[in-house]
Amino acid sequence: MDVLQEQIAYYRARAAEYDEWWLRQGRFDRGAAANAEWFAEVDHLHAAVADFAPHGNVLELACGTGLWSRELARNAQTLTLVDSAPEVLAINAQRVQHPRIERIQADLFRWRPAARYDVVFFSFWLSHVPPAGFEDFWSLVGDCLAPGGRAFFIDSLDDGRATARDQAAPTRRRLNDGREFSIIKIYYEPADLQARLERLGWQARVAATPHYFLFGSATPMPRTL
Ligand SMILES: C[S@@+](CC[C@H](N)C(=O)[O-])C[C@H]1O[C@@H](n2cnc3c(N)ncnc32)[C@H](O)[C@@H]1O
């Protein structure tokens, strides 16, 4: 199977156990000290998102089970969520309520926006975009933004404790029942990512927490005539 199709299949099969990673449960429990670091860094991410202040018409790409959609729902005027996995979107729908919410089941490598948004948010998605698709993905983000729009993203740093205790390799994922899937997983260095985005025409700022996460914001650079 093509790895992008296998990646879709993996997240469909993982939907019901996905949050164990975020909550450091089961095979993701790395002991009290590492878990405490993780949760402190998650708090740091929440503060960074609050500082960014997502509001207006907000689009979340690869929204998942709603761990961040519920934060975005607090101040969004409208919230549009895209993910390829119906199982994941069903969990998201149970978790996240908003008077003006739309969930779209779509493959982001084929999907095109029908509207423009004030904010485009994606967490733990850029690392699943193949290197050859990096520029196309950022071009999609640009196409999703209204004039003055802003992007915010969160992703993984390369720390082995972020993953399951029994994971063989970053690109080989195991479920609780032992099934294995191949996926894309690319780790970025914050400074390198920022420089790459600037070369692509973004004003970007990428930072990191001490161990586990990078996060950043980007806006298209104003065109000079
Ligand atoms: C690592 S999870 C991140 C979920 C969420 N953003 C979060 O922070 O918890 C990746 C998500 O991408 C979705 N996904 C995988 N391949 C996709 C594709 N080709 N198009 C759209 N979504 C995809 C999966 O279903 C999954 O929900």
Side-chain angles (χ1 to χ4, degrees):
M1 196 195 295
D2 166 63
V3 67
L4 293 179
Q5 292 308 310
E6 196 165 336
Q7 182 159 267
I8 289 173
Y10 166 64
Y11 281 107
R12 293 190 65 180
R14 184 181 162 194
E17 60 194 74
Y18 178 82
D19 292 356
E20 293 174 11
W21 157 73
W22 191 241
L23 301 173
R24 306 280 89 189
Q25 294 171 344
R27 295 157 49 242
F28 297 90
D29 180 350
R30 293 303 191 121
N35 292 350
E37 279 176 352
W38 175 274
F39 290 121
E41 293 184 31
V42 168
D43 286 347
H44 189 140
L45 295 178
H46 280 282
V49 173
D51 278 353
F52 176 79
H55 57 251
N57 296 317
V58 177
L59 170 68
E60 185 180 9
L61 303 175
C63 61
T65 58
L67 297 170
W68 289 99
S69 322
R70 63 185 169 192
E71 301 303 321
L72 300 173
R74 289 184 205 282
N75 295 309
Q77 191 181 339
T78 68
L79 184 56
T80 304
L81 308 173
V82 184
D83 200 285
S84 56
E87 298 82 357
V88 157
L89 287 168
I91 295 170
N92 186 299
Q94 286 179 346
R95 175 172 278 154
V96 185
Q97 282 86 43
H98 187 281
R100 295 177 69 191
I101 194 166
E102 181 186 13
R103 291 183 180 81
I104 300 170
Q105 185 198 331
D107 178 347
L108 282 172
F109 296 108
R110 298 165 191 269
W111 178 78
R112 302 298 305 164
R116 299 285 181 267
Y117 300 88
D118 301 306
V119 167
V120 177
F121 181 100
F122 42 98
S123 50
F124 306 100
W125 173 246
L126 182 62
S127 55
H128 293 316
V129 173
F134 183 89
E135 289 194 18
D136 281 351
F137 174 67
W138 281 98
S139 164
L140 171 66
V141 174
D143 290 345
C144 291
L145 286 173
R150 306 171 297 145
F152 192 94
F153 50 93
I154 296 171
D155 223 301
S156 318
L157 292 178
D158 186 3
D159 187 309
R161 298 169 305 165
T163 59
R165 288 192 302 266
D166 61 351
Q167 182 174 287
T171 54
R172 192 76 189 150
R173 293 288 178 86
R174 190 171 294 160
L175 297 178
N176 287 343
D177 66 8
R179 274 181 294 164
E180 287 194 3
F181 297 79
S182 290
I183 63 156
I184 304 286
K185 187 73 183 177
I186 309 294
Y187 294 106
Y188 293 94
E189 285 296 326
D192 290 348
L193 179 57
Q194 181 171 316
R196 268 188 90 176
L197 292 176
E198 286 167 355
R199 285 198 296 276
L200 281 183
W202 293 85
Q203 270 174 347
R205 187 164 166 73
V206 186
T209 61
H211 304 284
Y212 294 116
F213 308 115
L214 67 74
F215 59 95
S217 58
T219 53
M221 263 179 214
R223 287 180 197 277
T224 46
L225 294 174

